[in-house]
Amino acid sequence: MSLNIRNSRFIELPKIKDGRDGILCVAEQQKNISFDIKRVFYIYDLHDNNAVRGKHAHKNVEQVIFCIKGSLELLLDDGLYKETVKLEKPNVGLYLGTYVWNVMTKFSEDCILLVLASDFYNENEYIRDYNQFLAIALKQSE
Ligand code: TYD
């Protein structure tokens, strides 16, 4: 399960099963999460299968996105390559580093996303204009 997109990879958390009901997964900073976690946010109550979220890249913030219930698709684009991935396993997250354009679609109705982020929210570190993203991303890969 490797990706061709730069600064992106899947992260598989071990499933802890101890004979009782349920599966326990643990994400720890500087262990299976490669950065210090400064912010956690989650998205739920998705009803429109055609909804589109994301459509941006980050200049500084790194994230790991878990779909802890249901499923969604993410289009990843590093300026050179595009790849669509599906998140549907609660123990498998997507590490998304800087300068990767992502578009989230095809949310299942029960979808719940849990995102771990390396820094506080700061609108100034978002790139929300695709052409601006492309110009920077292509320059970086020269
Ligand atoms: P956005 O990051 O565009 O959401 P998505 O990537 O899911 O499409 O954020 C949507 C709105 O929420 C925007 O007005 C900024 C706000 N927001 C915060 O205030 N703090 C946060 O940590 C995040 C992620 C978003």
Side-chain angles (χ1 to χ4, degrees), residues 39-43 52-56 58 63 102 104 107 113 115 117 119-123 126 128:
R39 178 167 51 114
V40 174
F41 60 93
Y42 45 95
I43 301 173
V52 179
R53 299 195 63 110
K55 293 178 87 176
H56 50 63
H58 291 276
Q63 301 182 325
N102 81 84
M104 297 186 273
F107 301 94
L113 292 178
V115 184
D119 212 341
F120 302 116
Y121 170 73
N122 172 10
E123 184 60 36
Y126 276 72
R128 292 192 185 268

Side-chain angles (χ1 to χ4, degrees), residues 1 25 34 37 43 45 54 58 60 64 69 78 99-100 118 135:
M1 281 204 306
C25 288
S34 58
I37 300 162
I43 301 173
D45 214 11
H58 291 276
N60 300 314
V64 178
K69 191 169 172 64
D78 63 11
Y99 295 100
V100 182
S118 66

Side-chain angles (χ1 to χ4, degrees), residues 7-60:
N7 293 345
S8 307
R9 59 181 178 273
F10 288 110
I11 292 185
E12 189 165 349
L13 303 180
K15 294 186 199 172
I16 301 178
K17 300 179 194 173
D18 59 7
R20 290 174 290 172
D21 197 17
I23 297 171
L24 189 140
C25 288
V26 186
E28 292 178 290
Q29 68 182 31
Q30 302 299 350
K31 292 189 176 174
N32 43 23
I33 304 300
S34 58
F35 50 78
D36 285 349
I37 300 162
K38 279 202 182 160
R39 178 167 51 114
V40 174
F41 60 93
Y42 45 95
I43 301 173
Y44 65 104
D45 214 11
L46 291 141
H47 298 296
D48 179 4
N49 189 250
N50 296 314
V52 179
R53 299 195 63 110
K55 293 178 87 176
H56 50 63
H58 291 276
K59 295 180 196 165
N60 300 314

Side-chain angles (χ1 to χ4, degrees), residues 57-105:
H58 291 276
K59 295 180 196 165
N60 300 314
V61 169
E62 299 167 85
Q63 301 182 325
V64 178
I65 303 172
F66 289 99
C67 181
I68 57 171
K69 191 169 172 64
S71 63
L72 82 157
E73 285 188 13
L74 282 116
L75 171 74
L76 305 177
D77 177 348
D78 63 11
L80 287 179
Y81 300 101
K82 288 184 171 68
E83 198 165 334
T84 299
V85 301
K86 188 168 186 177
L87 285 183
E88 56 186 340
K89 294 180 181 170
N91 71 314
V92 177
L94 175 71
Y95 168 82
L96 213 52
T98 56
Y99 295 100
V100 182
W101 186 263
N102 81 84
V103 181
M104 297 186 273
T105 57

